[in-house]
Amino acid sequence: MPKVKLSFTITGMHCTSCAANIQQAVRKLPGATEVYVNFAARLLTLQAETGTLTPERIIAAVQHCGFTATLQQGQPYAPGSSPDPDDGAAGKSPAWRRFLVAAAFSAGLSYVAMHPMLGLPFVPLSQTQSLLLQMSLLLPVLLAGREFYRTGIPALLRGVPNMDTLIAIGTVAAIIYSLRPHAAGQAQHLYFDTAGMIIAFVLLGRFLEERSRRRASGAIRALLDLRPETARVVRDGQEALVPVSAIRCDDVLRVLPGEKFPADGMVLEGRSSVDESMLTGEHLPVEKGPGDTVTGATINQQGVLLCRATQVGEQTILAQIIRLVAEAQGTRPPIARLADAVSGYFVWFVLLTAAVSYAAWSLAGAGSSQALQFALAVLVIACPCALGLATPIALIVGIGRGAGQGILIRNGKALEAAAKVRTVIFDKTGTLTLGRLAVRVILPAPGSNISADALLALAAGAEAQSGHPLAQAICAAAAQRGLALAPVSEVQELPGMGLRCRQNGRELLLGAERLLRAEGMTVPHWPEQEFSALSLIYVAVDGICQGVIGLSDTIRPEARAALSRLREMGLQLVLLTGDRRESARQIAAAAGIDRLEAELLPGAKAAMVGAIQREQPGQLVAMVGDGINDAPALAQADVGIAVGGGTDIARAAADIVLISNDLHQVATALALSRATLRIIRQNLAWALAYNLLGIPLAAGVLQVFGGPGLNPAFAALAMAFSSVAVVTNALRLKSFRAG
């Protein structure tokens, strides 16, 4: 049964228990697999069998849990929209206003409740008057925190309690405990102020957490903000200012200095320099002229350019980046599984612990009032959010930070694997080298009657239909010399070896020395110094070698420094290539690579990656290539890294896509992955330690040994800041800089 990936934006979640409940409900639907609810991203993703499960059934299942689901179609967020309903400045945020209401009335409530004990000035009140005044002050606080009861109580009745349930039960218990004796005419301390402060502190924590989470998930918002709103379109000789959404493919666009390109395109007229830092992270401008490609949202700096739109709307590179980042931020790395499993049972454990604490202290003779204090503290100090946020919030910040530097990490699993890589394998042509091959030597075979130009023309005629870099270089050399090329027929590509064809009734064979030897031909001997560091293409006609063409490539200028950074990170480096060993050895030496595997067929590269993986079990291997030609090897590696994938983000067969060709980005991507995984581990350690120490402290374990207890209001304050601490720690990744 075919499956389709569906994504839904979820609203109404307040803790990771909410996410766990939705995940459990959707997972039970027939045809649903790979279900994951990312609390930090407010996102539900799953694989759905097309003939079995519809989006409407999924939305209904989420609504049954008490939340709202909206199917994402096209871009993750529409232009001008925000992924956060409470987005905006603090003064305009509903969450901030709710906290201010709760804080103001809770402060007044605490003053009324505590003034006799602290000797503070206040008008004399009877017991009934004090009760009514405190109830009237508590009512606005309850209204400000009504969401706790609107979602927490129904969740408990459905058997899927969440963090709102803990707050609702705790505050309701405090209120009922205060009212019951007064209804019987008995005087007793009121706990209205405790209930009010609990709600106020939790609302403060929610506001701070949401604000920090918005900062953490700002990568998509920043990418959306890059898009211009209007474009200058030239139609029928007339220029008009139109919305970007009205641009069509092949429209002619005029871009003035300082303006952003409204779509991907090709320059028709004019010359200018373009700021592509949003795409590559590199701030040096790139010169553009007729025939060059430009990318939407990059900035024209100097001259006026006339461009033809080639990709518009959701097909642009920027749209692909936004889509990839949004999908990646909603994924789950393996390290998150423990936290997700714990979150599903956490609230039940807390409810049980609170009940046991109340019963134990009551039976110990501490009195129901003291026992209630301990039970309330247990209910409000527990924080499943810190545990559930630990991984996804760091993932959101890390992947977003990478996108801002031209590093696209496809999912959480890839990020975690990249952080654990111990060996990095490089392809040669176009990865370690510039991929700008040039013909350096043309040597006819000894005794043959063919000239160098005739040999080059033979090769160029045969290679004219090939897209291989060597073939393109040979054709370029022939064109530069103005050579006439004879047509060929019956062209047969021989992957990793060369090609066979017919020309004027003769059979031509072009390729590596091993191809000619495999055909039983004799290959003439030339002095090795003639071919030092060259890639060789042998040319044979009717079974006789007529000569050889030597080509060379140039190593990237940053290669040695970039690979030195990788060695400093403790990584082993390997070079794989299908080229001659002699030629590859010089490139490996120039780049500082010790291990070389040369003269490999395309399929053998993937096999060699597998062999290296078997040599070092338990240690992960990354493969760096162009993302298209090296697809099998990239897929075989634990982490495939495509360099220079800026023009083909969607098709690149890689776990990590580096938009630019700068090899320094390889080390940056791995360092960022390590930093993100380190933050995740710190967050998980903090969240586990907080709950493992905080819950026993709230239950009064220290007081058993003569130590202090914990006031429920302070327990609520601790809980409020526990999740804030996790998000704040993750935000440190926003300042990540490559070493």
Side-chain angles (χ1 to χ4, degrees):
M1 184 73 69
K3 294 184 178 181
V4 62
K5 182 178 181 179
L6 298 177
S7 299
F8 297 83
T9 301
I10 305 295
T11 54
M13 291 193 299
H14 296 106
C15 70
T16 52
S17 294
C18 302
N21 294 337
I22 296 172
Q23 190 167 292
Q24 184 178 9
V26 175
R27 191 174 285 154
K28 292 178 180 178
L29 296 175
T33 57
E34 299 181 32
V35 180
Y36 178 50
V37 178
N38 187 316
F39 170 63
R42 303 300 197 259
L43 187 69
L44 161 65
T45 57
L46 72 152
Q47 294 286 338
E49 292 183 1
T50 53
T52 306
L53 186 59
T54 63
E56 290 74 18
R57 290 191 63 186
I58 298 168
I59 292 172
V62 174
Q63 288 176 338
H64 182 71
C65 295
F67 308 98
T68 303
T70 305
L71 179 65
Q72 290 188 354
Q73 295 177 329
Q75 286 293 343
Y77 309 118
S81 73
S82 167
D84 191 341
D86 278 348
D87 200 4
K92 299 179 181 179
S93 166
W96 176 249
R97 291 197 295 268
R98 287 193 293 269
F99 162 68
L100 289 180
V101 170
F105 282 93
S106 292
L109 180 57
S110 297
Y111 189 93
V112 172
M114 301 298 291
H115 81 274
M117 185 185 308
L118 301 177
L120 299 174
F122 201 71
V123 296
L125 295 174
S126 67
Q127 179 180 326
T128 302
Q129 289 173 331
S130 178
L131 172 67
L132 293 176
L133 178 58
Q134 290 189 47
M135 287 182 63
S136 64
L137 291 171
L138 178 62
L139 184 59
V141 181
L142 295 176
L143 290 174
R146 61 187 177 276
E147 198 69 21
F148 299 132
Y149 309 97
R150 190 185 68 82
T151 62
I153 301 302
L156 178 63
L157 297 177
R158 289 194 300 269
V160 285
N162 54 31
M163 185 175 162
D164 287 348
T165 305
L166 299 179
I167 304 303
I169 290 177
T171 54
V172 168
I175 294 169
I176 292 176
Y177 186 83
S178 301
L179 290 175
R180 186 172 55 83
H182 283 272
Q186 302 172 5
Q188 182 174 307
H189 176 72
L190 301 175
Y191 287 94
F192 294 152
D193 58 325
T194 300
M197 294 305 293
I198 287 172
I199 291 174
F201 283 143
V202 174
L203 288 176
L204 174 61
R206 291 248 172 117
F207 165 72
L208 294 175
E209 177 191 320
E210 287 297 316
R211 188 174 67 172
S212 298
R213 192 176 59 81
R214 283 198 301 273
R215 287 185 60 201
S217 59
I220 292 178
R221 190 179 293 104
L223 290 170
L224 288 170
D225 290 342
L226 291 173
R227 300 183 296 190
E229 295 182 358
T230 58
R232 303 175 190 274
V233 179
V234 181
R235 292 173 181 160
D236 301 324
Q238 300 295 317
E239 180 179 312
L241 200 63
V242 302
V244 168
S245 58
I247 301 175
R248 301 188 298 265
C249 276
D250 295 326
D251 272 347
V252 176
L253 310 172
R254 189 186 306 277
V255 185
L256 303 182
E259 292 184 342
K260 295 179 179 178
F261 292 93
D264 298 349
M266 185 178 69
V267 177
L268 299 176
E269 295 180 12
R271 291 190 176 276
S272 181
S273 58
V274 176
D275 178 3
E276 295 185 338
S277 58
M278 58 71 57
L279 186 68
T280 64
E282 175 56 59
H283 289 275
L284 290 177
V286 180
E287 297 299 318
K288 298 288 184 179
D292 291 334
T293 59
V294 291
T295 304
T298 57
I299 301 173
N300 181 24
Q301 291 191 323
Q302 295 175 345
V304 178
L305 293 178
L306 210 61
C307 308
R308 178 173 59 83
T310 56
Q311 294 185 109
V312 300
E314 294 186 13
Q315 302 306 313
T316 62
I317 291 174
L318 178 62
Q320 293 180 52
I321 293 174
I322 292 172
R323 186 160 52 247
L324 189 149
V325 171
E327 291 176 355
Q329 289 183 337
T331 60
R332 171 176 53 182
I335 196 173
R337 290 172 184 164
L338 173 62
D340 291 344
V342 171
S343 296
Y345 302 98
F346 187 85
V347 175
W348 283 115
F349 169 75
V350 173
L351 288 172
L352 178 62
T353 303
V356 170
S357 177
Y358 181 85
W361 282 104
S362 296
L363 293 174
S368 58
S369 176
Q370 184 71 12
L372 178 65
Q373 290 268 14
F374 288 121
L376 288 179
V378 169
L379 288 173
V380 298
I381 199 172
C383 188
C385 289
L387 191 60
L389 279 170
T391 297
I393 201 69
L395 201 67
I396 285 173
V397 182
I399 289 176
R401 181 60 182 154
Q405 297 189 357
I407 299 167
L408 305 181
I409 303 173
R410 289 194 179 274
N411 51 55
K413 181 180 179 182
L415 184 143
E416 183 174 343
K420 299 175 180 178
V421 162
R422 292 295 174 266
T423 300
V424 182
I425 303 172
F426 285 88
D427 179 54
K428 182 176 77 71
T429 304
T431 302
L432 278 182
T433 65
L434 293 173
R436 300 171 189 165
L437 290 150
V439 173
R440 303 298 181 192
V441 174
I442 305 173
L443 294 177
S448 69
N449 296 321
I450 193 169
S451 67
D453 279 357
L455 184 65
L456 180 60
L458 272 178
E463 298 278 22
Q465 299 182 40
S466 173
H468 194 281
L470 291 170
Q472 293 174 348
I474 288 174
C475 292
Q480 190 175 14
R481 298 188 183 200
L483 302 179
L485 307 183
V488 297
S489 60
E490 301 179 28
V491 178
Q492 179 186 1
E493 293 268 2
L494 305 171
M497 301 285 280
L499 64 80
R500 187 194 312 270
C501 66
R502 298 194 69 82
Q503 183 187 84
N504 297 328
R506 299 178 299 175
E507 182 182 70
L508 270 62
L509 196 65
L510 285 83
E513 179 181 352
R514 59 179 177 269
L515 174 61
L516 271 64
R517 294 195 182 279
E519 295 288 326
M521 300 182 199
T522 300
V523 178
H525 175 73
W526 283 277
E528 178 58 36
Q529 59 266 27
E530 296 278 4
F531 302 139
S532 178
L534 296 182
S535 299
L536 302 181
I537 297 294
Y538 289 85
V539 182
V541 178
D542 290 335
I544 300 174
C545 179
Q546 298 294 323
V548 64
I549 299 174
L551 304 94
S552 68
D553 201 352
T554 305
I555 190 170
R556 293 189 180 279
E558 78 280 6
R560 190 168 187 88
L563 271 62
S564 177
R565 284 182 58 198
L566 292 171
R567 285 194 299 274
E568 290 171 1
M569 294 170 64
L571 298 169
Q572 300 178 34
L573 306 181
V574 181
L575 176 61
L576 296 190
T577 180
D579 207 350
R580 300 169 61 240
R581 181 168 296 277
E582 293 77 7
S583 171
R585 186 180 290 120
Q586 294 208 13
I587 295 293
I593 297 177
D594 295 326
R595 180 171 177 179
L596 168 66
E597 300 292 343
E599 301 180 12
L600 298 173
L601 297 176
K605 288 185 180 181
M608 181 56 67
V609 172
I612 294 173
Q613 288 171 318
R614 290 189 293 274
E615 289 174 9
Q616 42 191 34
Q619 296 189 15
L620 302 191
V621 173
M623 173 71 193
V624 184
D626 62 16
I628 305 299
N629 297 324
D630 298 314
L634 292 174
Q636 173 63 43
D638 299 294
V639 180
I641 302 176
V643 178
T647 59
D648 211 340
I649 294 165
R651 289 199 297 120
D655 302 298
I656 298 176
V657 178
L658 309 181
I659 297 178
S660 75
N661 288 306
D662 187 354
L663 290 176
H664 283 292
Q665 293 289 72
V666 176
T668 301
L670 297 181
L672 175 62
S673 298
R674 289 184 178 184
T676 304
L677 188 62
R678 184 164 57 248
I679 291 291
I680 290 174
R681 287 170 172 161
Q682 291 171 359
N683 282 351
L684 288 173
W686 157 254
L688 288 170
Y690 167 82
N691 284 291
L692 289 175
L693 297 176
I695 292 176
L697 175 63
V701 170
L702 290 183
Q703 194 155 331
V704 173
F705 302 99
L710 185 63
N711 184 287
F714 289 113
L717 186 62
M719 182 274 292
F721 282 94
S722 64
S723 54
V724 174
V726 165
V727 180
T728 303
N729 188 44
L731 284 171
R732 294 194 296 124
L733 287 167
K734 291 179 75 73
S735 61
F736 171 84
R737 291 287 185 274

